[in-house]
Amino acid sequence: MYREKYEYWLNSPYIDESEKLELKDITDEKEIEDRFYKDLEFGTGGLRGVIGLGTNRMNIHTVGKATEGLSKYLVKKYKKGISVAIAYDCRIMSKEFAQTAACNLCANGITVNLFKTLHPTPMLSYAVRKLECKAGIVITASHNPKQYNGYKVYGEDGGQITDISANEILSNIESIQDFSEIKHMSVEEAENKKLLHIIEEKIDTSYIEKVKNLVIRKEFVHYHAKELKVIYTPLHGTGNIPVRRTLKELGYENVFVVKEQEKPDGNFPTAAYPNPEDPKVFHLALNMAKNIKPDIIFGTDPDCDRLGVVVKDVQGEYKVLTGNQVGVLLTHYILMSLKEFNRLPENGEIVKTIVTTEMAAEVAEDYKIGVTDVLTGFKYIGEKIKEFEEKGDKKFIFGFEESYGYLSGDFVRDKDAVIASTLVCEMTLYYKMKGKSLYEALMDLYKKYGFYREKLISIELEGKKGHEEIETILHCLRHSMKRTLGNVKIIKKLDYKLGVEKDLVNIREKIIKLPKSNVLKFIMEDKSGFVVRPSGTEPKIKIYLSVIGSSLKDSQDKMESFKKNVMDIIRNANC
């Protein structure tokens, strides 16, 4: 089957001669198989894959096919008067893929609003809403290594498309059998026909004004911002201009940028894995810190939707906080501050994912604020904001996920590191003026709510064989899992694929009111738990572990023991 697709590409008049030569030069049969054994999957996150030629790669042909499917979907749904916003990041081929998508849409009679230069993902979400577009596209592979790129689709609410829309778009993509069905128009023709427009700078300005309006303690920040010392790294990505501009306009005068990581560069020369979850990306910032002695260090990923935070602990050592820790700190700070200013809504709601710390629920309960759990992926948080607005029963306050994504406000419908950077600066400044570091504030929360500790283990399983291994592991856990782990009973099993939560103590079942997803969650008698799921964007299986201890040391010891027990089961899954 893969050989047929390979030969089709070699003989197609739509593949140019240089591309054909590149394909002919591949001598490794396994490489040919991996490039052509399947089409690059279009899921709820759109496309993401290694850049290269082939049906299972990111290239102008797979981008063109996906956009043709999107165009068909939009024309069927809206008939006419359709416009789409497009943004792209710093990655290799991002601009070319953005232009390919734009020209395809225009060839289908759809108006395109294209950012002239690279922009963060959350600014695309904002532009969709502000320009009243029917959809949006952003070309990015977020924090993946340099060989990756991706294609994310947004709905008219500014949120990433979720399951129903994704499936409808996918069916339109799958209906395309030949390259001849993919329409194209030159940039010049699209501009002459007034179908292609460049997004004006005033969109950037209005977005930044809205970000600044999210500051809770406006007067406090106005008078004290210059007293905060910050080191920031954009990790060669899109965050440099909007983050620095926003902080400068808020009065943060002492923001020092890591020069070696300031300029956009899709090769990521100083960070092979440009992910602020990885402590190694902060090595240059930490060298700067020896002289600058900042109150806070933070970095944004290439498309500036994730934020990583580094703080100094009581021993004077710098620690990269987890996404859960930053999320809990922000949850507490926002709720505390809103309550102080009598702005805490009675129907307020925190939204988090099912793999995100339960400590947030403990904090929210103290402020009589509800917590909604959604499937993994910030698109589901964006979907809840829309649902709250339509029903009018709840007011979105803050949303976050363990993978370093945070959002406040409702003018963006995706995680936003520009917003998060302003919130973290305000929070750090608040605690500094109270004579306290952010780390000390975190320890105070642990002492009050329990020493929660979470850990993510990702196992890379590439190719067709790896995909099969992932399916085997999930099948075993779903059908052959024992009732104890170590010496601790499993009291609940949540199967999000079947949509069933099983109470294993009282032998009861209830329906999980979430979209179906191939995810399993196990909750233990001692409130520890773990979640297993395949990654939606990479060839990995992910295991999320959570324990609660009576101290940092106790939670660390519990985690090591729990990790061993869970990984033994994963490694021995062979049913």
Side-chain angles (χ1 to χ4, degrees), residues 332-364:
H332 177 263
Y333 175 75
I334 291 167
L335 296 182
M336 171 189 67
S337 301
L338 289 175
K339 184 176 181 181
E340 185 180 322
F341 287 91
N342 293 316
R343 290 170 50 196
L344 195 62
E346 286 184 11
N347 60 343
E349 198 81 3
I350 302 294
V351 186
K352 69 177 189 65
T353 66
I354 59 173
V355 298
T356 299
T357 181
E358 290 302 315
M359 188 174 173
E362 297 276 355
V363 174

Side-chain angles (χ1 to χ4, degrees), residues 359 362 442-453 547-551 555:
M359 188 174 173
E362 297 276 355
L442 178 63
M443 291 304 109
D444 287 346
L445 293 178
Y446 278 149
K447 287 168 189 171
K448 183 173 183 180
Y449 298 106
F451 287 79
Y452 283 73
R453 184 177 290 265
V547 300
I548 310 171
S550 56
S551 66
S555 65

